[in-house]
Amino acid sequence: QPSQHHRFKSDQADAILLKALPGVEKEEEDGLLDQGWKDIKPNSKYKAIFYDLAKAYNEIVGELLISQGQGQGKDEYGKDYYSESGSLSGSTGSSAADKLPTFFRRKGESEDAFYCQAPLAEDPDSFRVVVNPEALQECSSDIRSKYGRSQTEDGKELDFKPSLTRCVVLKRGFWNGLPVTKMLLQPRTGRRHQLRLHTAILGHAILGDCTYELGDSTMERKTCNRMCLHAHKLSIPLGYKKTK
């Protein structure tokens, strides 16, 4: 039952208790929880309920993980970095840029691994997502002008969200004569276009990404007619276990 929905177990908490589903009769609950997403999605009432429950569940799990010291750590300078839940340990919101540099490595990890921390915001009037200009201060002028912006076209302040990606270089080579790098990208947060923008501000947009490629993309268009971003694995942290 949703009122006793066991998902998280630890020494400090045996379960996450969710309130009864709002606006749903008790008789509906069992049948509703047995339905797949394809059955839920066409029903606006059930769809809204599931979105609200998922948001509440993620927030509770994130708080429990942080309180137990899971999914968080420090960089080589002793500063807190993002937890697996997508929050800064002990910090949230716009202070993220003050806690971490845009690009950094963690002591003890492979030299091929590094992190990109750049807050992102969605512009309601544009398809493209933008980067907080403060995170681009050490980047080239081309990157700052193409990807950084703090306001909408009509002057409204954008709402930037903390965003963090772990990047691992797997292989270097060539694609139709063009030098390329095969990367493993592990998002620690889930912002729209996060992987595409975090690689773009490195100066190396994903091959075939016509939205965020820097400068003249004629060569990329001739060598690849699709974006080379592939989903490898989805892992959902549930306490000390992971559903994969």
Side-chain angles (χ1 to χ4, degrees):
Q1 298 293 330
S3 58
Q4 293 189 355
H5 191 44
H6 291 259
R7 275 290 188 270
F8 184 94
K9 295 185 177 180
S10 68
D11 295 336
Q12 296 180 347
D14 292 329
I16 289 178
L17 302 181
L18 298 178
K19 296 180 180 179
L21 299 176
V24 177
E25 298 295 331
K26 190 70 171 65
E27 295 74 17
E28 292 182 89
E29 288 183 354
D30 290 337
L32 178 58
L33 293 177
D34 289 335
Q35 293 185 43
W37 179 243
K38 66 178 180 180
D39 302 312
I40 296 294
K41 191 174 182 180
N43 189 311
S44 59
K45 172 185 173 182
Y46 290 166
K47 182 178 177 181
I49 290 172
F50 267 66
Y51 274 133
D52 290 342
L53 287 177
K55 180 179 179 180
Y57 176 80
N58 289 334
E59 290 176 351
I60 294 172
V61 170
E63 291 173 358
L64 288 173
L65 289 176
I66 291 175
S67 68
Q68 296 174 9
Q70 301 181 43
Q72 59 180 322
K74 295 177 181 295
D75 67 9
E76 59 184 298
Y77 302 106
K79 297 179 181 178
D80 292 337
Y81 79 108
Y82 287 82
S83 67
E84 292 286 342
S85 65
S87 301
L88 270 173
S89 175
S91 178
T92 58
S94 61
S95 60
D98 299 329
K99 287 284 185 178
L100 294 172
T102 303
F103 307 110
F104 66 96
R105 286 190 170 94
R106 291 191 63 206
K107 189 175 181 179
E109 290 193 354
S110 167
E111 292 184 356
D112 290 326
F114 63 93
Y115 292 79
C116 176
Q117 183 282 132
L120 305 178
E122 295 188 39
D123 185 339
D125 299 322
S126 174
F127 172 75
R128 294 177 55 184
V129 177
V130 296
V131 183
N132 189 330
E134 293 182 5
L136 303 178
Q137 292 179 0
E138 302 300 322
C139 298
S140 69
S141 58
D142 288 341
I143 289 177
R144 293 197 304 270
S145 62
K146 183 175 179 67
Y147 306 117
R149 183 157 50 86
S150 59
Q151 297 180 334
T152 62
E153 292 185 358
D154 55 2
K156 295 181 180 179
E157 292 294 327
L158 292 169
D159 182 20
F160 288 96
K161 304 294 185 181
S163 305
L164 180 75
T165 302
R166 183 174 185 264
C167 309
V168 183
V169 176
L170 300 179
K171 187 177 181 180
R172 293 180 175 86
F174 293 87
W175 176 272
N176 291 345
L178 183 72
V180 295
T181 304
K182 184 177 182 180
M183 301 283 295
L184 173 65
L185 303 176
Q186 299 173 309
R188 295 302 195 240
T189 53
R191 312 303 176 195
R192 179 169 171 259
H193 293 185
Q194 175 177 317
L195 300 181
R196 299 168 65 178
L197 268 169
H198 280 183
T199 52
I201 64 174
L202 282 167
H204 303 281
I206 296 172
L207 184 66
D209 189 351
C210 59
T211 301
Y212 294 113
E213 284 171 342
L214 185 64
D216 184 8
S217 61
T218 303
M219 181 175 292
E220 281 81 352
R221 294 280 70 73
K222 290 180 178 179
T223 57
C224 186
N225 59 4
R226 61 185 296 274
M227 183 166 60
C228 296
L229 177 62
H230 312 281
H232 165 61
K233 179 174 64 177
L234 174 64
S235 298
I236 304 175
L238 299 175
Y240 62 92
K241 295 183 178 179
K242 284 190 176 181
T243 299
K244 297 183 179 180

